[in-house]
């Protein structure tokens, strides 16, 4: 056995060396290929001969791997034979004996056995599960061997210093001490409530050993990043249940918005909502089992073998993973391709709810496989779940589709999916928002333009949309030329800039456009006003010099603050900087980012940096507004663009006479899509529109038939003054019922008029919340309402 162990170690070290070689060669192949692709007259016949070398090395590598594999199996057999002999004495107490002690609440070894003989409640696992687990366990042994080598290597300087975020320092051992142990040293309670660690700024599994001196933050559920990890880990639990229940192919679990979801591919059936309780109870069983999450870093090639039963995982490995190794996590019988990190074990999840299912497509592309999406949410305690349920109830009651129908604002029709019909009262809101922004544009020296809706594809080729965005555009042929409906206004505005020579004297040029845009959203993705095919934006493009960026961005920030505070939204600012695939010169990026930083600093509100998250054509500021239910929405954009001016060859004559200067474009939208903004506002206000935006501002109610004429006169008087005023002349309804109905319909003000009011040329005012302001003359009522409308106050009913 000793000889076998030695042989295995020798093969393992050879493998490691080879893998290093493959990594190097592969990088070389990539480099050469990129060079070739970029060469103007590339010759496809000349493939780099290095690929052959890599292929040979790979073949040999595979051979070695099999040998190692066989040796390991021999070792394993030998070990289990010994274990059986010893096991007779210590029956039942068998727990992980060597290495870093797992916490008492979990015992991975025991779990492994449990999963191999699954619980009676759980269905028989699909065939690939067993094979996958077997391979994982072999890989895990490899990993432990490697870890042992590291430990041996560094025995002289194993001691590390761990700084905890609160200023404390703890001593530990490299490759051994885990963040969980660090937390436990402070207090057991902290260790149990910590969801995930952040080690030197990187999210880190609590049971993953530290590799050197480190600063450790211990994040609890209150922290947003920890929440994301918690829900992501819960998605694994759901994935495990889905796999056991349906035996389908798990696809992926992209991060959700407050909760999690998992996409699964089932060849010949669909998930039914009646099955959700079954899935939920399976999840509960998995939680009870306290299955630990185990992390392994494995070469992509081995993973292709591990996931050969699942075409989706293979696709991810081939298309998305460009590193020689990546990580997998085991949790119970599930082994998932995943970057992590996760919670320690499924027992950290206290309450879980599986509440919704829907259809989805691989990569959101309706031409790809149809997938089943299942949604869930989980929390560390019952109170949080109760609060979540309450919020869901509230959100359902405020759903913009429901209120939009009740208030007769808009509807959709099968004959034009994704394009909204705004009824008169909806159109009033739409136009009031546009008027508001138009006024702001005017104050801030933006000039409004009108531009075409359809353009020849030559424009889209020049802008790059044809190459990168054409599947989202509606195209059609006219006179042998292909045209497309515009999905955005920028290219048209570039033509406007290029229309005649430009000088530095007229910069910045700020063009605003409320033009109608069309984007071909897949029909399955269409959802009320939040995802539509036809929409308008409060779109604007600022053409400026690099030196003007700072001032212009500051202007954009003040603009959005002014608009959002009018709506009563708080917002968060993030600066997204240069991504890896950026275009243009680094110096220009650095300078632009510096200007954005300066503008943000001067603006004075807190902001965060989102490194590498900028668009490939320039850095941007992402703005998220927070609604009344605490949900975040991204509406506004402020994006710098260096590329579009170059693509359209836009130039201006600079102060020193250089006529080849490229301007910079700032894309600015504050509301974003008006359609989507209306949905957000509607849900935010729960249908109780602030007075200035309200499609039902005044209801006039006569106390009896004798006052009908006066009531009519009042209502048309207010209508002529520009208010949305109505009159209720229904004789079959009592006065009290009329008042009640007007309040339920969310009329901000209700004017009751009788003979006394008629004599005094007055109205008797009350609000939708039944605040009674009493009798007031018609002229002062008009003045008050005008002021309230102009100030765009959120609280007109009180301020009246
Ligand atoms: Zn994961
Ligand atoms: Zn734009």
């Amino acid at each position: 056995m000793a000889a076998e162990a030695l042989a295995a170690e020798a093969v393992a070290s050879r493998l490691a060396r080879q893998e290093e070689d493959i990594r190097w060669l592969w990088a070389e192949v990539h480099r050469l290929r990129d060079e070739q692709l970029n060469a103007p007259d590339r010759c496809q016949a000349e493939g780099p001969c290095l690929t052959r070398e890599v292929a040979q090395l790979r073949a040999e590598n595979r051979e070695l791997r099999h040998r190692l594999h066989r040796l390991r199996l021999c070792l394993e057999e030998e070990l289990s034979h010994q274990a059986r002999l010893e096991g007779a004495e210590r029956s039942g107490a068998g727990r992980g004996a060597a290495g870093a002690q797992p916490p008492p609440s979990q015992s991975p070894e025991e779990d492994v056995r449990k999963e191999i003989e699954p619980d009676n409640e759980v269905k028989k696992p699909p065939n690939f599960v067993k094979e996958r687990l077997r391979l994982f366990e072999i890989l895990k042994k490899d990993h432990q061997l490697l870890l042992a080598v590291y430990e041996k290597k560094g025995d002289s300087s194993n001691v590390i210093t761990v700084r905890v975020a609160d200023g404390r320092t703890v001593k530990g051992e490299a490759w051994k001490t885990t963040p969980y142990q660090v937390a436990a040293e402070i207090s057991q309670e902290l260790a149990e409530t910590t969801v995930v660690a952040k080690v030197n700024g990187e999210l880190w599994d609590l049971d993953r050993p530290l590799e050197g001196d480190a600063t450790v933050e211990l994040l609890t559920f209150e922290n947003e990043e920890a929440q994301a990890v918690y829900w992501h880990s819960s998605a694994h639990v759901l994935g495990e249940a889905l796999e056991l229940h349906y035996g389908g192919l798990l696809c992926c679990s992209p991060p959700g918005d407050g909760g999690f979801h998992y996409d699964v591919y089932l060849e010949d059936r669909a998930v039914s909502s009646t099955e959700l309780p079954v899935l939920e109870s399976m999840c509960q069983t998995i939680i009870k089992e306290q299955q630990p999450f185990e992390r392994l870093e494995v070469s992509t090639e081995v993973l292709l073998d591990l996931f050969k039963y699942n075409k989706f995982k293979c696709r991810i490995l081939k298309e998305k993973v460009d590193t020689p190794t990546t990580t997998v996590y085991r949790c119970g019988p599930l082994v998932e391709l995943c970057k992590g990190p996760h919670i320690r074990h499924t027992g950290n999840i206290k309450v879980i709810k599986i509440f919704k299912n829907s259809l989805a497509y691989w990569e959101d592309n309706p031409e790809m496989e149809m997938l089943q999406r299942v949604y869930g949410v989980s929390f560390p305690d019952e109170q949080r779940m109760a609060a979540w349920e309450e919020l869901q109830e509230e959100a359902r009651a405020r759903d913009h589709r429901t209120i939009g129908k009740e208030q007769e604002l808009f509807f959709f029709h099968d004959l034009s999916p994704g394009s909204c019909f705004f009824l008169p009262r909806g159109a009033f809101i739409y136009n009031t928002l546009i008027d508001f922004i138009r006024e702001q544009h005017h104050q801030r020296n933006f000039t409004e333009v009108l531009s075409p809706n359809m353009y020849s594809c030559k424009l889209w080729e020049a802008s790059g949309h044809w190459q990168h965005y054409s599947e989202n555009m509606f195209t059609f042929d006219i006179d042998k030329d292909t045209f497309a409906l515009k999905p955005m206004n920028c290219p048209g505005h570039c033509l406007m800039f290029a229309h005649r020579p430009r000088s530095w004297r007229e910069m910045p040029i700020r063009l605003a456009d409320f033009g109608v845009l069309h984007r071909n959203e897949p029909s399955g993705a269409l959802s009320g006003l939040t995802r539509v095919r036809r929409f308008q934006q409060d779109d604007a493009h600022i053409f400026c010099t690099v030196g003007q960026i700072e001032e212009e961005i500051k202007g954009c920030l003040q603009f959005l603050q002014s608009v959002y505070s009018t709506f009563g939204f708080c917002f968060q600012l993030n600066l997204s900087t240069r991504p890896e695939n950026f275009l243009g010169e680094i110096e220009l990026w650095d300078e632009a980012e510096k200007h954005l930083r300066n503008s943000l600093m001067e603006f004075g509100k807190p902001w965060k940096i989102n490194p590498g998250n900028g668009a490939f054509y320039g850095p941007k500021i992402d703005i998220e507004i927070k609604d009344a239910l605490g949900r975040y929405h991204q509406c506004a954009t402020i994006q710098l663009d260096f590329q579009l001016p170059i693509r359209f060859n836009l130039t201006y004559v600079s102060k020193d006479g250089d006529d080849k200067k490229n301007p910079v474009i700032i894309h600015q939208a504050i509301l974003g899509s008006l359609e989507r903004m209306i949905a957000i506002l509607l849900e935010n206000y729960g249908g109780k529109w602030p007075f200035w935006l309200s499609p039902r501002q005044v209801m006039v109610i006569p106390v009896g038939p004798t006052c009908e004429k006066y009531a009519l006169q009042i209502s048309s008087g207010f209508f002529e003054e520009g208010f949305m005023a109505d009159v209720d002349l229904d004789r079959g309804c009592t006065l009290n019922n009329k008042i009640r109905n007007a309040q339920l319909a969310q009329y901000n003000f209700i004017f009751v008029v009788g003979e006394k009011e008629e004599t005094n040329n007055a109205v008797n005012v009350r609000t939708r919340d039944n605040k009674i302001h009493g009798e007031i003359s018609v002229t002062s009522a008009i003045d008050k309402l005008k002021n309230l409308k102009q100030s765009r106050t959120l609280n007109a009913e009180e301020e009246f």
Side-chain angles (χ1 to χ4, degrees), residues 258-260 276 280 353-357 374-377 388 392:
F260 55 88
L276 299 182
E280 190 173 298
K353 195 177 169 78
I354 306 300
F355 63 93
K356 194 169 86 177
N357 67 302
V374 181
Y375 296 79
V377 72
W388 179 86
Q392 294 309 298

Side-chain angles (χ1 to χ4, degrees), residues 232 236 329 338-342:
H232 167 80
H236 280 257
Y329 278 81
C338 183
K339 286 206 183 97
H342 302 95

Side-chain angles (χ1 to χ4, degrees), residues 84-91:
R84 267 199 300 278
L85 291 178
E86 286 166 28
E89 288 128 63
R90 51 179 191 113
S91 59

Side-chain angles (χ1 to χ4, degrees), residues 490 539 541 667:
C490 351
D539 203 9
H541 295 100
H667 304 260

Side-chain angles (χ1 to χ4, degrees), residues 716-731:
S716 53
F718 276 84
F719 182 78
E720 272 159 35
E721 292 291 345
F723 298 107
M724 293 295 275
D726 295 295
V727 60
D728 188 346
L729 298 179
D730 182 356
R731 286 191 182 171

Side-chain angles (χ1 to χ4, degrees), residues 545-595:
T545 68
V546 175
Q548 288 168 333
I549 292 176
E550 214 163 298
E551 206 47 36
E552 289 308 304
I553 296 292
K554 228 169 67 194
C556 295
L557 292 170
Q558 283 159 357
F559 193 166
L560 76 92
Q561 166 146 47
S562 153
V563 171
Y564 287 168
S565 64
T566 303
F567 293 133
F569 288 135
C570 341
F571 58 92
Q572 277 183 352
L573 296 168
N574 294 302
L575 171 61
S576 296
T577 56
R578 191 176 65 231
E580 268 174 36
N581 62 343
F582 74 98
L583 287 182
E585 293 154 29
I586 277 207
E587 294 77 29
L588 187 58
W589 276 84
D590 287 345
E591 196 180 349
E593 286 177 10
K594 189 188 83 197
H595 288 311

